[in-house]
Amino acid sequence: MDSSLPLVSVETLRDMDALRRMREAGPVHHVNMGGREPGWILTCHEAAAKALVDPRLRGDAPQAQGPEKELADEEDLFFLPGEQHARLRRMISRQLTPRRVAGLLPRIQHEADLLLDAMPPGEPADFIAAFSRPFPVAVLCELLGVPPEGRRYIRDYVFGWIAEAGVGTVVTESAGVAMAGYLKELIARRRADPRDDLISAMSAADPRDVLSAVRLLLVAGHRPVTRLLTEGVEILLSRRPGLVEDPSRLDPTVEELLRLITPTALSSRYVKESLEIGGVELPEGGGVHCVLAAVNRDPDRFPDPDAFAPDRPANPHLAFGLGHRHCLGAALARAEAKVAVGTLARRFPRMRLAADQGPAPTRAGTRKLLVVLDPGDPT
């Protein structure tokens, strides 16, 4: 690793001041990616939007070619051999359609209402533990067709590896093995007796691919939505965008939350043949990483980029990436956010942040977000 290159860490990717300084210095930067190969990061909207659709850039790393694993580690799911990853994406994209997501909306609403019904009204409750963490897991179980008696395997697996505020436990071997064993049985049952769910829709494929596809959805489909809902509620409760008075503002409000929060850090490509981006010549095989949080706050594309402004006349954010590696779960994430935000505005128009948020999170614990649900008339 070239120690002379500036280090870009996980913390850097969320440091808006550091990203702003990099963006102001130019659109392309050669950096140390901190344990991975050196690469180039893009911090400007124009450069990123072009790079993500450039056919000379591919989605899989050149070194990501090797024997396929029957049960890849969680980190490996994002760096699978190219053909395996492409195969899983094709399998998921053929079935995870906008029509399927639209058909799921009543069940998404039902899961949101169940979780909100369980929160005590009029007193502080941890929104992360009670809603923003379990909600996307419940929705994923509905999508996949996991029956109630099997959902503990999914919860144990997902909650075992998720990290909050930079702290988290790794998934235990027992949780991972139990989840895989349960899903293998469920895939076999759905293959023999299909239902109206995603596992059934994919079940004609190789069962190992179906298992990997389900695990990829679980790993990629939970943490970004949890972060979007958690930080989104903080923004909405502090800035009050008028959703209670005008529910038609829901769609632009969710899009602005996606832009401002940008729950996924990077969208990466690899150079198939040398090319120039932003005046910089990039060699074949190099990694090109679009820093989506920086791209979505580029003042050349978004006036007053640090402001929460749902009324922007145009909002071409790249929170879900672009091109052939565009987020497979974009429609589902949008649906979850719209149901959650719309339901909170409708049912709890006077919801507020608790005055006392308790102690700040430490390296030994996870963060809390204390809110008070208040269904009272806002007038």
Side-chain angles (χ1 to χ4, degrees):
M1 185 65 66
D2 188 346
S3 60
S4 67
L5 295 175
L7 175 66
V8 172
S9 63
V10 173
E11 290 74 19
T12 306
L13 297 176
R14 292 298 177 194
D15 184 337
M16 294 304 167
D17 289 334
L19 294 178
R20 175 183 51 78
R21 290 191 294 270
M22 295 182 74
R23 187 177 55 240
E24 290 173 349
V28 184
H29 303 269
H30 195 201
V31 298
N32 176 337
M33 295 297 289
R36 294 170 59 188
E37 77 286 350
W40 284 263
I41 63 171
L42 307 185
T43 55
C44 296
H45 189 280
E46 181 179 7
K50 290 180 179 178
L52 291 174
V53 298
D54 194 313
R56 295 169 294 177
L57 297 171
R58 60 187 173 194
D60 55 293
Q63 66 270 28
Q65 307 294 333
E68 297 184 3
K69 297 182 179 181
E70 181 175 358
L71 191 62
D73 296 332
E74 282 61 42
E75 182 72 12
D76 291 337
L77 286 167
F78 293 102
F79 301 100
L80 291 169
E83 175 50 36
Q84 186 182 10
H85 200 289
R87 192 168 67 242
L88 297 184
R89 283 187 62 89
R90 286 194 299 268
M91 182 193 311
I92 296 169
S93 63
R94 286 172 184 157
Q95 305 299 336
L96 185 54
T97 61
R99 181 178 180 180
R100 182 177 294 277
V101 172
L104 194 66
L105 283 173
R107 285 182 280 171
I108 296 175
Q109 183 66 64
H110 178 69
E111 294 300 331
D113 287 331
L114 281 178
L115 291 170
L116 292 172
D117 287 345
M119 294 178 67
E123 60 185 73
D126 181 4
F127 185 77
I128 297 174
F131 190 88
S132 65
R133 188 182 292 143
F135 179 58
V137 173
V139 171
L140 287 166
C141 286
E142 287 292 324
L143 171 72
L144 294 167
V146 178
E149 65 272 15
R151 296 189 179 192
R152 63 183 177 88
Y153 296 108
I154 308 300
R155 287 194 298 267
D156 289 349
Y157 173 71
V158 174
F159 292 166
W161 70 266
I162 190 171
E164 294 290 344
V167 181
T169 59
V170 297
V171 63
T172 64
E173 182 179 3
S174 58
V177 170
M179 187 279 306
Y182 172 76
L183 286 177
K184 287 178 181 177
E185 293 178 3
L186 182 60
I187 291 165
R189 294 205 306 270
R190 292 293 184 263
R191 192 182 184 102
D193 181 20
R195 308 286 178 85
D196 183 20
D197 57 54
L198 192 64
I199 288 180
S200 295
M202 298 188 297
S203 63
D206 185 321
R208 293 171 299 179
D209 279 351
V210 179
L211 176 59
S212 292
V214 170
R215 293 177 67 242
L216 182 60
L217 282 169
L218 291 173
V219 170
H222 178 269
R223 183 160 50 185
V225 176
T226 293
R227 182 164 180 253
L228 176 64
L229 295 179
T230 300
E231 296 187 20
V233 161
E234 288 184 284
I235 291 172
L236 295 174
L237 295 184
S238 61
R239 309 193 194 181
R240 299 288 177 180
L243 276 176
V244 173
E245 298 79 10
D246 184 6
S248 70
R249 295 168 61 91
L250 178 61
D251 284 4
T253 294
V254 168
E255 294 306 312
E256 180 68 348
L257 289 175
L258 283 164
R259 183 196 69 83
L260 198 62
I261 296 168
T262 309
T264 300
L266 296 174
S267 186
S268 299
R269 302 288 189 272
Y270 294 86
V271 183
K272 289 197 294 186
E273 57 184 89
S274 61
L275 76 160
E276 180 183 301
I277 297 179
V280 177
E281 188 72 21
L282 306 185
E284 179 181 352
V288 179
H289 310 283
C290 299
V291 184
L292 299 179
V295 166
N296 282 342
R297 296 199 186 201
D298 185 345
D300 290 338
R301 196 65 187 84
F302 304 99
D304 196 7
D306 296 328
F308 175 63
D311 295 327
R312 292 180 185 278
N315 193 352
H317 67 75
L318 301 180
F320 295 116
L322 202 63
H324 71 288
R325 280 295 185 97
H326 180 266
C327 176
L328 289 170
L332 183 63
R334 279 191 168 99
E336 292 176 81
K338 290 176 185 179
V339 167
V341 171
T343 302
L344 288 169
R346 183 181 70 254
R347 290 187 54 182
F348 304 104
R350 299 182 68 177
M351 176 181 174
R352 62 187 183 274
L353 294 172
D356 182 5
Q357 288 294 315
T362 67
R363 297 296 297 178
T366 58
R367 138 172 222 217
K368 294 183 178 181
L369 177 64
L370 301 181
V371 302
V372 179
L373 299 185
D374 187 342
D377 186 338
T379 60

